[in-house]
Amino acid sequence: MSRRRLPPRLSPTHLAVTLTAAVTLTGTVHPLAGAQSADGVDTSTALGFTTSPRPTAPAPADTSRPQVLRVQPIDGRKVLADVWSPSMGRAVPTFLLLPASPSPAPLLLLLNGVGGGEDHVGWAYHTDYQDFFADKHVLVASPEGGRFSLYSDWQRPDPILGVNRWHTFLDSELPAALADAYALNDTRGVIGVSMSGGPALTLAATSRHHYAAAASLSGCPEVSTPFGRAAMTAMVARGGGNVHNAWGPPDDPAWLVNDPSHDVQRLRGTTLYLASAPGNPGPHDAPDIGSATFAIGAPTELAADLGTRHMARALQDGGVPFTYDRYTSGAHTFALFSRELRDSWRVVGPALGA
């Protein structure tokens, strides 16, 4: 087990102050700004959400079966596949990084943040992840969709966010469709960032399949505590949705099911990696006063840091092995996320055999 010494617990008052600051800042609409930031800050929740959903291939004749409908080359071994989701009744555009070798490869789900990539904020837009994975024998799949969805199976459709059955898509439909089209072995892993960090761990905790590795990068795995409930409620509300359509009222058991910090024994046997920073902008975050990095990235990362520390303590108390990199500086930017992805690979890569 590799662990960093965790900082002292914060009082509920400190938690409330931090959450209020983060939610207030991320709830401020800036009508002149789009979702994409030049310095890679995930500003979708702060500056107004803009999206232009990609046109996808038409529905297949057999809509009951997950399948790859169309594959468009992008660059080298990077392609864009339209994958049909029977549970959501639509095709999900998914960036794939294909391995160089034709031999069966493990599958890595690399998830985007709160905008689901639909806001052109994500791994494919702000990082060199294609170069990073170029020499690794793994098929990397990054769906573009699921904004403000918590990447979960919602109990009912939402008037604004529609039908969300993302757990089913990620856990069953996408792997099945890719296995029909590409050479995959039986090993799979998942890495989530920001909004998808907690759901990445939940996927490993609740799946009927075994995930060899799961990682949360600057995520908020704490869900069912007062802090976690407030954070999830605010996040979904910022996208116009109602979190009760996802997991019901606060006393609904779905909140505990979707909280990876609850009953951490569900994660025993999965190689786990956590990463977060205290929010103070670092040398790569462009922390000039007044920038999105300073005003948004700092408090957002602080909130993620609190949730990640809670997850680490739960794993520590439960005796479940994990690795936690808590950096001395870093705001909620893709500069930090890229560093976390690289650092995670020393843990995730060997677990996948990649």
Side-chain angles (χ1 to χ4, degrees):
M1 181 185 301
S2 174
R3 293 178 291 208
R4 299 288 179 88
R5 186 171 63 85
L6 302 181
R9 298 176 188 271
L10 294 185
S11 69
T13 300
H14 286 129
L15 291 175
V17 169
T18 302
L19 178 62
T20 299
V23 170
T24 299
L25 286 168
T26 57
T28 301
V29 176
H30 192 305
L32 300 180
Q36 186 171 350
S37 167
D39 55 15
V41 180
D42 190 346
T43 59
S44 299
T45 53
L47 304 182
F49 182 78
T50 59
T51 180
S52 5
R54 292 179 181 276
T56 57
D62 179 5
T63 59
S64 66
R65 180 175 63 86
Q67 54 199 284
V68 175
L69 302 178
R70 178 179 63 180
V71 177
Q72 303 174 74
I74 302 296
D75 178 32
R77 297 198 303 275
K78 181 180 180 181
V79 303
L80 181 64
D82 293 338
V83 181
W84 180 254
S85 168
S87 65
M88 293 190 285
R90 65 178 185 265
V92 177
T94 303
F95 283 108
L96 304 178
L97 300 181
L98 304 177
S101 168
S103 62
L107 171 64
L108 175 67
L109 305 177
L110 183 64
L111 308 181
N112 286 305
V114 73
E118 294 181 43
D119 50 356
H120 293 176
V121 174
W123 297 109
Y125 300 99
H126 284 98
T127 75
D128 63 349
Y129 85 126
Q130 184 176 356
D131 293 337
F132 176 70
F133 283 107
D135 62 348
K136 297 167 179 60
H137 187 60
V138 60
L139 192 157
V140 182
S142 296
E144 191 166 279
R147 65 189 189 276
F148 303 100
S149 69
L150 309 177
Y151 282 114
S152 178
D153 279 0
W154 287 36
Q155 295 179 353
R156 60 189 66 86
D158 185 87
I160 301 299
L161 298 180
V163 175
N164 288 294
R165 304 290 295 176
W166 286 96
H167 182 105
T168 295
F169 177 74
L170 295 170
D171 193 44
S172 299
E173 295 173 347
L174 178 59
L178 294 179
D180 284 344
Y182 302 99
L184 293 175
N185 60 31
D186 294 330
T187 303
R188 66 171 70 179
V190 57
I191 297 176
V193 66
S194 191
M195 179 194 75
S196 64
L201 301 182
T202 298
L203 200 64
T206 60
S207 172
R208 60 188 177 86
H209 306 282
H210 174 66
Y211 283 76
S216 171
L217 313 182
S218 293
C220 189
E222 176 181 6
V223 166
S224 61
T225 65
F227 174 77
R229 292 180 196 276
M232 298 303 109
T233 300
M235 189 186 307
V236 174
R238 185 62 195 90
N242 184 340
V243 76
H244 289 181
N245 290 326
W247 299 335
D251 60 348
D252 193 299
W255 284 87
L256 294 178
V257 171
N258 285 283
D259 186 344
S261 70
H262 173 74
D263 188 12
V264 295
Q265 301 306 322
R266 298 179 298 173
L267 288 164
R268 189 176 293 279
T270 295
T271 297
L272 303 173
Y273 178 86
L274 309 175
S276 66
N280 52 313
H284 303 295
D285 290 324
D288 51 303
I289 295 178
S291 72
T293 302
F294 185 85
I296 302 163
T300 304
E301 184 62 30
L302 176 56
D305 186 52
L306 293 173
T308 302
R309 284 163 52 188
H310 176 92
M311 182 72 205
R313 288 191 185 280
L315 291 168
Q316 190 174 48
D317 292 345
V320 177
F322 68 101
T323 298
Y324 180 19
D325 283 336
R326 186 174 188 264
Y327 304 103
T328 57
S329 66
H332 210 65
T333 69
F334 273 89
L336 175 64
F337 304 158
S338 293
R339 178 184 178 183
E340 291 173 331
L341 177 63
R342 282 173 162 73
D343 288 347
S344 76
W345 199 250
R346 75 180 191 276
V347 177
V348 174
L352 298 182

